[in-house]
């Protein structure tokens, strides 16, 4: 490349032959250094061959190093994991690991977390356009009558993606179709996009008079929380439950079950007024830390942080039943960032790398979230919330 | 510590003297290796002294290495930044950097992005409990009459946090107060918690008959999207705008303004039906990548991904006005993870490290989001969306 | 009855033999008169035999007289009505009839309103309780495997109600089932309740280990707006569309199509921020007036006022496509209040009394709503909104 | 008028001199009769001079007669009413009056309903348009600096409307202002519209460079439920509370407090999933019946049916605290339909006709709603819900 160091609007330099190399990364860091004087030593200190990032990043310059802390053990009584696990959490927020760790101890001592995956699908939702609402309605009927052709077209594009069912939503002269796929151990957004494109092309070719469509009409709802996700799931719908003795809560968190229960009812009312995507505490915290550690797409925190807490003080007045339903947990143990070096190692710590492991990982995510709920809810009520941030956080 | 390698329920080992050392991290990695046989070489390959992570992590074992790609230049015509910037994006999702890069080129060639920070506050929202609704109402009046005492108490706790105003929401026998603070260059959740605790204690001591409260009643709404945030902001409310010639869109993205505009209207209807937190495309993608690169709290994607897109095809039929309003963008250039090695370097690339820089960073975030909107929206309409994922992503 | 006129807490007197008589009504009015001195002459001036109200009211004392105005003609190009209709509207709000009348004129001159019923079901949504989430999931599978038994049990209770399909929603240890029925010309809430009770009893008797349930778990969502209704309809999902020349809008409403279109886009953004159940104007106004005139359940305005407006300025820049989708329009032409004297007459005016008429009535409702949208939207933009209220309303 | 009886598209005939007369009404009924053959005897059987409807209706043809039933007594311990009241309910839905009557008995025997009006304002929300977001932000600051001029302009238009405060919401290049007024005993939508128009005109005349605005930008949110209303009220924000002994519930409704409480928790979860405007039972039923009887605008059921239920089983395990918060109850005792003959009589029954009575009426509405909640919630749980509809409703 010619010297464009003084060109404030130069494009980021690229190596057209192979752009995922140490040299290409260094070239771009030097490009930045020339402009800023920054050495970028840490960004340039990664422990892997840049070739492994092909398919994960463009214009690679190095790596962000996000500290990982270890929490656990956490006892999980799931269907894909039935043991004590240690959980790596990548975060820069002081107290987060300590808080989840405390919650895990409580849950483990209570006998563990029961985890249940209710369903798991990934979606792509094209919208079809017609001259009027009747066109959309006729089309809906035609779609109903042609499940096999649609499925066959969709499933030609991948050996993994299996079309499960298609939701339909009509508005004005349009029909939105929300395709639901099983996607194996992948999160599956891209394979669903590809499969749905093929299905749409088949539809356009076979529907009498053709069909105009856009591959997404905003009902997917990709990288966005939505009430639709609450109802019909996106990724996994998974539920974590625990039955916790009041005496244990009192001992470990300084607050009894009845007090915690009452605070939860109060918070439910606040959550309803706020129109909140989650009537619990902070699912986003544990999930973001797990996602970054384990090579998940952190943007999916948008969807995945959604949750419904359902609690009950049992008739004995002593056992606190606590459940959290995550309707849109989007994770993978294959594809995306899962095979990258540190990310793969963290999945390995959990026994979750590769094929056939996504169920296990989903259950671990859900159980981890529940640990965080219990710990933070207790801290808020017991009054040690601010104090622990003062002690462990940067604000000291 | 004694040998607990065969104890499946051993707590994570800690060094009580100084736990943020290479030795402590290695001890914990060995603890894992003993259980799993994993070497954890990459997790253990970090380029900094673990001492720098004190306040950011507990039970430190190493670092996640998230690939960073460089996008840009992006022309921003803001109030805190008025130049071309190159943006580091940490992600494992193939095509993300390439897509934002394309959007940045279009925006830059269109003359740049205009960015405007409407307001910026951080919140903590305690709930006060009374015997009945009249108690809550009387209390609301008392709060109105005592602004100075409340402010003074809150502001004793920090030299930074300034109490701006208090929102009030009543439900049943409770009153929720949502305290709004200016927090300088910090995100400020913790300083707001501390300040609000002090304010609540002052209230409890001074309100006739005292006051029972919980420091959070779920109306903050911390780490959660909410309609309340859409209305009253959380963190920064920032707007990015651009005026883009149709010819430029056609040339760079293969689709003219009128077609893009029409697709946006269609998507708005889908978004309304879905009950989506964001009627645009994928703000979460660019923000998550910026957050991880720059030491932000990735859990705040929950709030920050919320957005309202407002577009208009100008009367000339040729200029496409595109705006995105981010009502809950939570970022910092001081505190939290911002001082960590790679994170600080990435903030440096943007000229955003440290005090007095948060406005600049907010504007860069908003402009980056707009670049991603334009690129993805065009790709969906032009039909090259799936193809680019096939070419650049792992699914090839 | 003995004299309890001085008893401030006397129960409302009843005639145990036949309580729907002039005498019983008079007895209760005298009971009130004794307490208040009020003659209640107008309330007592009804034109029918109280016997006709058996099944519609208890403790009958007379009738509210709500003024009816006549709007129209309104041209409808529907599938159940294809003609000009005159619409009786019962309201006490000045300008309402005049405003709808103006909108009807515009629509009629534009060639009429095209109406399309996308689907129509009534729902009842019981919730089933289990010990844990796995119990709920197993139950969901059992439900899938027993459609015939469930349907047979549900359909024993009525010759009208036909069970179409059952939606399922899981949360914590519960499974919500939303039963969808065809209900003929009735609104059908009660027949659905009865059918679903029978289905639940059959399920409890046949599901291994029984089943605990509550007949409603709040997902019906009876007499309440919900996002669920937006997605999956409640009552009829009906769409009204019109293609209106700008010149006609300019002539009749003083505002051209481009200006109206732009104002609509602005309002969409406001509606998104507000978290509104309807991004249009005032569907509730026309529907409430029609409901009261025609013997509908006015409480269903809660659900029925929900709407999604989708508009488009056609490429000619001259034709304004305007559609409104009502996803939860709950009406009947049989049962409920439809057979009462004035109510039946109003249904007769529309040609909608009795069996086989509900489709026609649905289409008239939707077309009427669209007329109101166009008239009010124009008035707001043209600036004659306040003036017309001053001229026609009580505030003059 | 010339004979247009065979003209299917004839406009509704009017008497230009005085259209609110028996003759004009008869003329229009004959116009319908000529087209339909219908006698319309009942519609024509109203007991008042049509002149009284001027300002309430246009194209008057007669009246809908909606049956009124009497419920009560209901003990209210409010600030504007502290006595037992009998409540007229106009409805055509069988069992409604009986059900509310049962709830009133329970509440009265429990010692009555405590009612508290938290605040009451009516709104109009214009939107101001600028070239960019900075224009909107500057304008917001200007608005802050000119409260007196704005208030003075608004308050010139009415002796009643008092401007309390102005909320502000920014999106893209627009600023929405939500004007909040005290409106005395009127509901006040029209007086707020007029006052806000005057304020906007003053702003446009005084803001440097003028100001383009639309009198409503959909954030009012008139005749529509919205989350904004939940947060910031529309009309009255009123809370009804009761403390009910379990033994009383058991005796009168066949279900104890603990069982009812548990069912409520279950329903809360269903309500969250559904995205419902009301997590209680059926506020719309009682309100619609009261609204029609008492001359309220039934379209406001859209806003008024919104509610938040907050319940608690007290520590004694015996007392059930039940509250309902209605954040958007829109009612009047002056103006609108309140002065019409039957409507005024019904207000008289409640002691609520005319000036200075609106507080009393608000409290009665809230207490009535609570009665309905308790009765229906009990019926659903006790299992006599379907049975009572079978016995009292039309479906028998």
């Amino acid at each position: 490349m010619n010297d464009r160091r003084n060109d404030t609007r130069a494009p980021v330099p690229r190596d057209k032959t192979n752009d995922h190399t140490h040299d290409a990364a260094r070239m771009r860091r030097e490009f930045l250094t020339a402009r800023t004087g920054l050495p970028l030593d840490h960004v340039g200190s990664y422990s892997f061959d840049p070739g492994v990032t092909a398919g994960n990043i463009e214009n690679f310059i190095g790596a962000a190093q996000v500290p990982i802390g270890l929490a656990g053990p956490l006892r999980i009584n799931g269907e894909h994991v039935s043991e004590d696990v240690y959980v790596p959490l990548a975060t820069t927020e002081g107290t987060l690991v300590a808080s989840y760790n405390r919650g895990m101890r409580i849950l483990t001592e209570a006998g563990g977390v029961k985890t249940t995956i209710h369903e798991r699908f990934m979606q792509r939702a094209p919208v079809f356009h017609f001259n009027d609402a009747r066109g959309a309605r006729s089309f809906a009927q035609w779609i109903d009558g042609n499940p096999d052709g649609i499925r066959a077209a969709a499933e030609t594009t991948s050996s993994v993606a299996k079309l499960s069912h298609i939701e339909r939503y009509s508005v004005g002269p349009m029909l939105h179709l929300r395709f639901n796929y099983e996607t194996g151990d992948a999160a599956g957004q891209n394979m669903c996009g590809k499969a749905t494109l093929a299905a749409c092309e088949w539809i356009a070719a076979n529907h009498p008079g053709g069909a105009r469509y856009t591959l997404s009409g905003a009902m997917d709802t990709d990288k966005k929380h939505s009430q639709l996700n609450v109802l019909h799931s996106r990724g996994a719908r998974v539920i974590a439950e625990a039955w916790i003795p009041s005496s244990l809560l009192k001992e470990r968190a300084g607050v009894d079950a009845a007090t915690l229960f009452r605070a939860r009812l109060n918070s439910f009312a606040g959550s309803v007024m706020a129109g909140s995507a989650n009537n619990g505490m902070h699912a986003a915290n544990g999930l973001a830390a797990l996602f970054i550690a384990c090579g998940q797409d952190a943007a999916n925190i948008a969807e995945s942080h959604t949750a419904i807490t359902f609690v009950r003080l049992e008739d004995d007045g002593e056992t606190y039943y606590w459940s959290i339903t995550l309707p849109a947990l989007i994770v993978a143990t294959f594809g995306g960032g899962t095979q990258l070096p540190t990310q793969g190692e963290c999945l390995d710590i959990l026994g979750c790398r590769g094929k056939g492991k996504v169920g296990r990982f989903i259950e671990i995510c859900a159980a981890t979230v529940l640990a965080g709920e219990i710990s933070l809810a207790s801290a808020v009520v017991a009054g040690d919330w601010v104090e622990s941030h003062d002690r462990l956080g940067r604000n000291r």
Side-chain angles (χ1 to χ4, degrees), chain A:
Chain A
M1 94 188 182
N2 58 351
D3 192 329
R4 302 186 63 174
R5 273 177 293 184
N6 296 322
D7 179 354
T8 62
R9 200 164 274 185
V12 176
R14 295 178 58 83
D15 180 331
K16 290 179 180 173
T17 313
N18 181 0
D19 204 46
H20 289 89
T21 63
H22 287 297
D23 283 349
R26 187 181 311 111
M27 172 179 67
R28 281 185 283 266
R29 290 199 303 278
E30 288 171 357
F31 171 87
L32 284 170
T33 302
R35 276 162 176 70
T36 62
L38 299 167
L40 302 178
D41 290 343
H42 289 288
V43 164
S45 297
Y46 46 91
S47 66
F48 51 81
D49 183 322
V52 302
T53 68
N56 292 114
I57 195 91
E58 300 85 43
N59 292 357
F60 175 75
I61 60 168
Q65 296 180 43
V66 185
I68 301 174
L70 189 68
L74 169 60
R75 175 71 200 180
I76 305 178
N77 305 309
E79 294 172 304
H80 302 272
V81 51
S82 185
E83 61 195 76
D84 294 348
V85 297
Y86 293 88
V87 181
L89 298 168
T91 183
T92 60
E93 301 306 306
T95 78
L96 190 151
V97 174
S99 177
Y100 277 81
N101 199 49
R102 180 174 78 153
M104 290 177 183
R105 182 170 182 181
I106 294 171
L107 288 174
T108 300
E109 292 183 0
V113 185
K114 196 168 202 170
T115 50
T116 304
I117 301 173
H118 193 85
E119 64 184 5
R120 180 170 179 256
F121 299 112
M122 182 45 64
Q123 292 82 19
R124 180 53 60 199
V127 56
F128 288 79
H129 313 285
F130 303 90
N131 291 334
D132 57 23
R134 286 186 208 161
R137 191 186 56 187
S138 299
F139 177 73
Q141 290 158 352
W142 187 88
I143 291 291
D144 278 351
N146 288 275
D148 296 341
I150 296 170
R151 175 173 289 105
E155 296 185 357
T156 53
T157 58
S158 151
S159 59
V160 175
K162 298 296 169 203
L163 178 59
S164 166
H165 60 283
I166 304 176
E167 299 158 56
R168 298 171 357 190
Y169 302 100
S170 77
V171 62
M174 298 181 279
L175 190 77
H176 291 257
L177 298 180
R178 191 169 179 258
F179 284 71
N180 288 260
Y181 298 90
E182 296 175 17
T183 61
D185 290 280
Q189 292 98 329
N190 294 340
M191 74 170 80
C192 291
K194 199 169 174 177
T196 305
L197 176 59
C200 290
E201 288 295 304
W202 184 90
I203 291 167
N206 287 276
H207 180 251
R212 286 179 295 128
Y213 70 92
T214 310
L215 190 50
S216 173
M219 293 194 77
D220 317 284
T221 47
D222 197 25
K223 314 284 164 112
K224 295 179 277 274
H225 161 77
S226 70
Q227 195 69 32
L228 176 52
N229 289 349
V230 173
L231 290 164
H232 289 301
S233 312
R234 179 165 170 81
R237 188 180 200 89
V238 58
I239 299 154
E241 304 171 288
W243 291 258
I244 315 171
S246 183
S247 55
L248 177 63
L249 287 164
K250 188 76 189 159
E251 182 188 351
R252 293 283 176 227
V255 57
D256 63 282
T259 304
L260 267 183
F261 176 63
R262 178 161 294 189
R264 197 93 308 271
L265 295 191
N266 296 345
S267 287
F268 284 169
S271 175
V272 165
M273 277 204 289
S276 184
N278 178 333
N279 68 353
M281 304 299 295
H282 64 143
N285 270 335
L287 291 176
L290 263 167
F291 280 22
I292 295 172
C294 297
Q296 309 300 308
D297 184 350
N300 288 130
I301 291 300
E303 294 119 312
S304 301
H305 88 282
T306 307
I308 310 164
T309 294
F310 176 74
V311 297
R312 200 163 53 202
L313 191 60
E314 299 293 4
D315 286 340
D316 59 11
E318 170 65 16
T319 304
Y320 193 11
Y321 169 81
W322 199 323
S323 74
I324 191 159
T325 301
L326 300 174
L329 179 66
I330 303 176
V331 294
T333 57
F334 188 82
T338 61
Q339 95 305 343
L340 290 175
T342 63
Q343 289 83 345
E345 286 181 358
C346 286
L347 285 170
D348 276 335
I349 291 171
L350 295 167
C352 290
R353 169 126 64 161
K355 299 209 174 182
K357 298 295 187 182
V358 77
R360 180 179 171 97
F361 188 53
I362 290 166
E363 295 190 336
I364 291 172
C365 288
T368 298
V369 165
L370 189 61
E373 298 295 288
I374 284 163
S375 183
L376 179 53
S378 302
V380 169
V381 172
D384 57 8
W385 182 26
V386 167
E387 185 272 331
S388 63
H389 274 276
D390 258 21
R391 188 163 33 84
L392 296 176
R394 289 213 72 78
N395 307 60
R396 69 202 181 288

